[in-house]
Amino acid sequence: QYSLPFFVGLFLSAIDKAEPNDDLEQRIVILNDTFRYTLYCNICRSLFEKHKTLFSFLLCMRGLLATGDEDFADYRFLLTGGVSLEDPPPKPAEWVPERCWGELFRLSKIHERYDNFHHKFAEDLGIWRKVYDDSAPMKILKDLQTRPAMLDGLNALQDVMVLRCIRPDRVVPAVMEFITQKLGEKFVTPPPFDLAGSYADSNSMSPLIFILSPGADPGSTLYKFASEKNKEVASISLGQGQGPKAEKLMDRAREDGTWVLLQNCHLATSWMPRLERLLEEADPKKTSQGFRLWLTSYPSNKFPVTILQNGVKMTNEPPQGLRANMTGSYLMDPLPKEEFFEACTSPKAFKRLVFNLCFFHAVIQERRLFGPLGWNIRYEFTENDLRISARQLQMFLDDYPDDVPIKAQQYLTGEC
């Protein structure tokens, strides 16, 4: 949920950030690009990882449809697989799935450019069998040497539509490649979690909302950030009978300019309308500019819409992919601090081993998708483990600069 003032604020911010240009047409292009990326970054920080690619694709397609560069019928087919009252003819080979053949038949009905698409498919089964069996089917479809003749004249989105029919399991990577081609790689690489950036976009009248996911605990990150800002945080976990206590904390913090953290708002749905009223009735003149209200909640349909629309929303899930995970690790305290990262007496060895640590952490984060498979016990190498290992590494290298204790570090990191 986002309010109109939120979008207006983003647009004004984009105008300030956009590079000046005397040419009006070029200036409009720059403004559009800047606003699009500003919007992407601000919305992404409140989305779960699994939804970020979908949002990028929606953002990309809305722009292409608005400019007439893509056909809405193609877009609808990619989302739904098409609709037809006719039954498809018998499939041409046993290996062709019923769903695949049915979608190719429906594709042939949506536009004249796809006329007899299913018959052309049947006439070239050899190459389509390779596409069906290959681990990188889009590479075959793009290569001029292997591209089926029936795809001549189709654009990038239409290639993805055909891939949807043949290999639906490879659509997500193909969509990401399409977004990269149209908008740039930065639209498929979500920005890392940035609490300082979210804080900068907030004010004393807009709450900051952590949308929780299993295993996420933003409390430690918030307390550390508060200490950097020299702010006190009064915290309370909501539940039965905690509402009046939370109100007193908020009243005191409004006067003193301190911060309040209300945890687990999803457990106090009966008190949420009261919180909504308190925020609506709050007087900016009687509220210190230093006051901030932080909320944590799992997704809930009982959470007040007004608070969501006016608040700064954030998620703090582990990022997906090795590169995104490693970027997040390097931004995790204490690694981004120059006084830590540059202080080791053996800087070359330290930086190489920190890279190994971050890579190890990223691999284990990705391995969670497979549960306990391949492990003796189900275990997570957590962010705290990474912090401790990095500090241990620096301590060992400072004590033994001439003989890097690899075995000791390997044991403490990987086996303890």
Side-chain angles (χ1 to χ4, degrees):
Q1 296 282 353
Y2 298 90
S3 61
L4 180 59
F6 168 82
F7 287 104
V8 171
L10 279 189
F11 186 68
L12 294 175
S13 169
I15 292 174
D16 292 336
K17 291 178 184 176
E19 179 187 339
N21 196 296
D22 294 333
D23 186 295
L24 180 60
E25 289 187 9
Q26 190 63 28
R27 171 67 173 165
I28 291 172
V29 170
I30 294 170
L31 277 174
N32 282 336
D33 290 344
T34 307
F35 177 65
R36 188 184 295 114
Y37 188 62
T38 304
L39 177 66
Y40 171 73
C41 291
N42 276 268
I43 301 293
C44 262
R45 69 185 176 197
S46 64
L47 297 178
F48 291 124
E49 290 295 322
K50 63 182 179 181
H51 297 140
K52 290 178 181 178
T53 302
L54 178 59
F55 174 65
S56 295
F57 182 60
L58 288 173
L59 192 63
C60 177
M61 286 306 303
R62 288 296 181 188
L64 294 172
L65 291 171
T67 56
D69 291 329
E70 295 293 350
D71 189 340
F72 189 80
D74 289 347
Y75 179 49
R76 185 167 51 198
F77 178 86
L78 182 59
L79 297 181
T80 65
V83 178
S84 175
L85 298 177
E86 298 179 50
D87 290 330
K91 61 184 187 178
E94 192 60 36
W95 62 266
V96 180
E98 294 285 354
R99 182 206 53 77
C100 161
W101 183 242
E103 288 189 1
L104 283 169
F105 174 72
R106 292 193 290 275
L107 179 59
S108 69
K109 301 292 182 184
I110 69 170
H111 194 279
E112 60 185 18
R113 76 172 72 92
Y114 308 112
D115 280 350
N116 296 316
F117 224 60
H118 56 302
H119 291 310
K120 294 174 184 175
F121 173 87
E123 291 167 3
D124 206 1
L125 283 178
I127 186 63
W128 287 112
R129 182 62 193 259
K130 288 181 183 176
V131 172
Y132 183 74
D133 291 336
D134 201 273
S135 60
M138 189 52 101
K139 189 175 180 181
I140 298 176
L141 298 184
K142 293 286 187 185
D143 192 331
L144 295 177
Q145 302 298 322
T146 55
R147 184 176 175 83
M150 61 188 276
L151 300 186
D152 290 347
L154 298 191
N155 63 23
L157 181 69
Q158 290 155 1
D159 285 348
V160 179
M161 292 164 57
V162 176
L163 186 70
R164 182 199 196 284
C165 301
I166 313 298
R167 288 289 300 276
D169 60 307
R170 303 306 299 165
V171 166
V172 171
V175 163
M176 292 178 73
E177 187 181 331
F178 174 76
I179 296 167
T180 303
Q181 179 185 332
K182 296 296 182 182
L183 298 182
E185 190 175 349
K186 62 185 180 181
F187 283 89
V188 293
T189 310
F193 178 69
D194 181 16
L195 186 56
S198 300
Y199 173 76
D201 290 340
S202 70
N203 57 57
S204 59
M205 303 304 292
S206 60
L208 296 103
I209 307 161
F210 288 105
I211 303 168
L212 300 176
S213 57
D217 180 20
S220 58
T221 307
L222 177 58
Y223 284 120
K224 181 181 176 303
F225 181 66
S227 67
E228 292 174 0
K229 293 288 184 181
N230 295 317
K231 287 289 185 180
E232 293 181 16
V233 181
S235 172
I236 187 170
S237 183
L238 294 179
Q240 190 171 4
Q242 298 300 306
K245 296 179 183 177
E247 288 185 43
K248 289 179 182 177
L249 288 178
M250 289 168 59
D251 290 341
R252 193 180 308 125
R254 274 201 178 93
E255 294 176 7
D256 301 341
T258 54
W259 296 354
V260 174
L261 171 61
L262 304 184
Q263 302 187 72
N264 301 320
C265 293
H266 58 284
L267 300 178
T269 53
S270 60
W271 186 71
M272 284 293 101
R274 171 66 180 162
L275 176 62
E276 183 179 21
R277 248 187 341 270
L278 289 171
L279 294 177
E280 285 178 352
E281 295 170 358
D283 186 353
K285 295 179 182 178
K286 296 181 180 179
T287 302
S288 168
Q289 292 301 306
F291 169 71
R292 291 295 185 276
L293 176 63
W294 304 80
L295 309 174
T296 73
S297 177
Y298 277 96
S300 169
N301 56 7
K302 300 290 180 66
F303 201 94
V305 172
T306 309
I307 298 179
L308 281 174
Q309 288 181 337
N310 296 324
V312 176
K313 297 168 282 294
M314 298 162 282
T315 57
N316 189 16
E317 276 187 308
Q320 291 183 347
L322 282 176
R323 182 170 60 179
N325 258 300
M326 291 190 70
T327 303
S329 296
Y330 272 101
L331 292 172
M332 188 188 305
D333 181 69
L335 293 181
K337 292 184 176 178
E338 188 174 348
E339 60 268 26
F340 176 82
F341 197 71
E342 302 290 347
C344 186
T345 54
S346 304
K348 188 174 180 181
F350 176 70
K351 290 174 182 177
R352 285 184 173 184
L353 290 169
V354 163
F355 178 86
N356 281 280
L357 270 178
C358 292
F359 189 80
F360 178 61
H361 175 63
V363 168
I364 294 183
Q365 291 293 319
E366 289 297 293
R367 284 281 318 173
R368 290 178 310 165
L369 296 170
F370 305 101
L373 292 176
W375 304 93
N376 291 327
I377 56 172
R378 188 177 185 127
Y379 176 67
E380 289 185 1
F381 187 79
T382 63
E383 293 180 359
N384 283 331
D385 291 319
L386 179 63
R387 288 190 185 99
I388 292 167
S389 297
R391 290 192 173 104
Q392 278 182 168
L393 174 62
Q394 189 187 67
M395 181 183 70
F396 270 100
L397 290 176
D398 286 342
D399 290 345
Y400 305 99
D402 299 325
D403 185 18
V404 180
I406 294 292
K407 288 187 177 179
Q409 186 62 28
Q410 186 176 358
Y411 175 75
L412 289 170
T413 302
E415 298 183 39
C416 268

